[in-house]
Amino acid sequence: MEPYRVPVTEGDRIRADAALSLSGLALGVPVAEMKRRERVRPRACRARWSAMYLAHVSFGWPLERVAHAFGLNRATAGAACRWAEDERDRPDYDALMDGLEGSLRAVMELPLVDLAPETGGRR
């Protein structure tokens, strides 16, 4: 039997990657480490949880969509968001997340630019 798979849009994956990149940059953890499927060190795990929470609050995604975009299950996304919400009681983490949310929203509001060169019908 094939494992359960949910289709995820390319746009959702791009947004999840943006949240991972911002979290990784702010918390000093390489994105590649956060994306590993095997067990990661606690710092990378918490950075990944922060990215999931960032996607949840910045994009207004339900936990199931967060989970699918990050390639994880809903229980993991829920645990991540509960942890991050609890951490927001810390003023330093709360300020960090406020800044990351604003940055992510600002980037997502920028106009899309088509980078395909004008070819005039030729290749």
Side-chain angles (χ1 to χ4, degrees):
M1 179 175 358
E2 188 173 326
Y4 171 73
R5 295 189 199 277
V6 174
V8 177
T9 68
E10 183 178 68
D12 282 359
R13 290 203 193 276
I14 290 168
R15 285 175 178 82
D17 284 346
L20 282 165
S21 294
L22 276 176
S23 292
L25 179 65
L27 297 167
V29 177
V31 171
E33 186 175 354
M34 288 189 283
K35 286 182 144 186
R36 287 181 26 200
R37 287 290 157 225
E38 57 274 352
R39 193 167 193 77
V40 297
R41 62 190 171 119
R43 182 181 180 94
C45 180
R46 285 174 179 78
R48 180 171 53 201
W49 288 353
S50 295
M52 286 188 272
Y53 176 76
L54 186 60
H56 176 60
V57 297
S58 296
F59 305 138
W61 286 353
L63 293 177
E64 186 171 30
R65 187 171 180 185
V66 171
H68 294 312
F70 282 82
L72 301 165
N73 63 51
R74 187 186 183 289
T76 301
C81 290
R82 282 189 302 277
W83 173 85
E85 194 63 46
D86 289 345
E87 286 297 298
R88 291 202 79 158
D89 289 339
R90 292 177 40 191
D92 59 342
Y93 187 79
D94 188 51
L96 173 71
M97 293 311 289
D98 279 344
L100 292 178
E101 286 173 44
S103 297
L104 190 55
R105 284 186 180 128
V107 167
M108 298 311 296
E109 290 172 2
L110 294 172
L112 290 176
V113 175
D114 184 3
L115 297 178
E118 288 292 322
T119 60
R122 296 175 295 154
R123 274 193 157 272

